[in-house]
Amino acid sequence: MRIDTSTSRTTTSGNPTTHPNRRQHDDAPETAHLFARLAELPDGPERDAVRDELVTAWLPMAHRIAGRFRDRGESVEDLRQVAALGLVKAIDRYDPERGAFESYAVPTITGEVKRHFRDRMWALRVPRRVQELRNKVRVARRELAQSPGTREPSIADIAAHTGLTEEEVATGIEALESFSTLSLDAELSSDEDGYSLADTLGAPDNAYDVVVDRESAKECLRNLPERERAILYMRFFEDMTQSRIADRLGISQMHVSRLISRSCARVRDEALGRRGAGRSGATRKATGKSAGKSAGTSCNGRRRR
C-alpha cells in the first residue's frame, strides 16, 4: 500500500485545504499533544486516526529529507515513499519522554533512505565496507573540487583528505563505477565492424585439456617397449590399418589389435596415476579416454624430434 505523499492536509475542522504553490505547514509542527494522546490510546480506529494525523503533519519534513538525495538515480516520488516509510517507523517508535520528535525522526528517516540506496539501488552488490569507502571518496572529491580552478584530485590527495590509505581510495573509486552495470550487448565500437562487450570476454578453451593429457601421456609412452611404440605410431600417425601393420611386422592382425589395446590401457592407467588419485569415477574415465587418444600424438612429437 502506497502512502499518500501529497502536501494537502486536513484541517482540524475536517475540511481539506490545498494550495499547490506553497507549503501548508512548517517542517516541525506543534504536535506534542497528539503524541501524548497517541501514547495513551490502545490499538484501534481512534489510535490509527491520530497516527495518520501525525504522519500528515510531518510529511513535509520527510519530503525535504528525501529531496537531499535527488539526482542519484532514483525518482523523487520513490524517494518520498521511502522517506514516508521512515516517518511512520519514527512515529511508531517515538517516546515523548525522550525529547523532541524532530531530533528522533530526522536520523530515522535519513537512515531509511540511505538503506534504500544501499540495499536496492546497487546493480552490482558490493560489501558494506566498500560502499562506505565509496561514499567517503565521493564526498572528498566534491569537497576538493569546490575551489575554482582546482584540478581533479588524485588518489594521494583524496587519501590525505580522508585519512584513508591509497589502496582504500582506489577501492572506493572502483566502487563509484559499480553502482550501475553495462549490458553485455552494449556496443563498444561505432563503426561498421562494431563489437559488443560480450565479444571481448574470453571463453573456456578445451585445447588446454588436450595439452594436459598429452603431457601426462608422454612419460608413459617412453616406458612402452619399442615395438608397441612403433605400432601406436603407425596406427595413430601414419593412419595405417591393423592389417597393414600386421603385414609389416609379420604378425597377425588379432595380435596387433591386442597390442594396441594393451598399450593404450597401460598409458591411460599410468597417466591417471600421475595426475593423482581422488577423482570421481566419471572424471577418471573421461580423462583416461582423452589420455589414450592423445597417446599417439605424444609419440608423434617424440619420433619427429
Side-chain angles (χ1 to χ4, degrees), residues 8-166:
S8 300
R9 64 174 298 192
T10 303
T11 60
T12 53
S13 61
N15 298 323
T17 60
T18 304
H19 299 279
N21 295 327
R22 65 187 182 86
R23 193 167 57 191
Q24 295 299 311
H25 41 66
D26 295 332
D27 281 346
E30 180 54 51
T31 55
H33 62 291
L34 291 176
F35 277 112
R37 184 180 175 191
L38 184 71
E40 296 173 354
L41 291 174
D43 292 339
E46 186 177 0
R47 189 179 191 281
D48 291 341
V50 175
R51 181 171 176 263
D52 291 344
E53 188 174 353
L54 285 168
V55 170
T56 302
W58 287 94
L59 202 55
M61 182 192 70
H63 289 178
R64 173 172 58 84
I65 295 174
R68 300 175 184 172
F69 298 88
R70 67 177 69 227
D71 301 327
R72 296 191 187 182
E74 183 68 295
S75 68
V76 175
E77 178 61 24
D78 287 342
L79 289 175
R80 288 186 170 188
Q81 288 292 323
V82 175
L85 177 61
L87 173 62
V88 172
K89 290 182 178 181
I91 291 174
D92 290 341
R93 301 169 183 173
Y94 172 62
D95 183 356
E97 297 181 359
R98 294 191 175 184
F101 174 71
E102 184 177 11
S103 301
Y104 177 75
V106 170
T108 301
I109 297 172
T110 302
E112 190 70 25
V113 176
K114 288 183 176 180
R115 275 191 295 273
H116 174 74
F117 277 97
R118 185 189 70 205
D119 298 335
R120 301 298 178 89
M121 293 300 295
W122 286 80
L124 178 64
R125 182 66 174 156
V126 299
R128 183 171 181 178
R129 181 187 68 84
V130 177
Q131 295 182 26
E132 293 173 351
L133 291 176
R134 170 190 176 272
N135 292 333
K136 291 180 180 180
V137 169
R138 178 176 54 80
V139 172
R141 270 183 166 180
R142 184 175 64 242
E143 293 175 350
L144 292 172
Q146 285 180 348
S147 302
T150 303
R151 61 178 176 83
E152 180 70 18
S154 64
I155 292 180
D157 295 335
I158 298 175
H161 184 77
T162 59
L164 301 173
T165 65
E166 293 190 6

Side-chain angles (χ1 to χ4, degrees), residues 147-266:
S147 302
T150 303
R151 61 178 176 83
E152 180 70 18
S154 64
I155 292 180
D157 295 335
I158 298 175
H161 184 77
T162 59
L164 301 173
T165 65
E166 293 190 6
E167 182 178 356
E168 289 174 331
V169 173
T171 301
I173 292 176
E174 185 177 357
L176 284 171
E177 302 173 357
S178 301
F179 194 75
S180 58
T181 55
L182 185 64
S183 171
L184 291 177
D185 296 326
E187 290 290 335
L188 299 182
S189 177
S190 58
D191 54 21
E192 295 182 357
D193 299 329
Y195 55 90
S196 67
L197 178 61
D199 296 331
T200 66
L201 303 179
D205 190 344
N206 294 330
Y208 286 119
D209 293 333
V210 176
V211 172
V212 173
D213 291 336
R214 182 179 299 172
E215 292 300 317
S216 300
K218 276 184 178 181
E219 186 65 27
C220 305
L221 286 168
R222 294 191 183 99
N223 296 331
L224 291 176
E226 181 65 26
R227 185 176 66 168
E228 293 183 16
R229 292 202 304 268
I231 291 174
L232 292 179
Y233 182 79
M234 288 185 284
R235 179 68 186 92
F236 291 108
F237 294 95
E238 294 186 349
D239 201 23
M240 294 176 59
T241 64
Q242 293 183 11
S243 298
R244 289 184 59 193
I245 297 173
D247 292 340
R248 176 175 293 187
L249 298 180
I251 57 178
S252 67
Q253 178 183 342
M254 184 63 67
H255 190 41
V256 170
S257 178
R258 286 197 298 267
L259 288 175
I260 291 175
S261 298
R262 186 176 66 186
S263 299
C264 288
R266 178 177 173 180

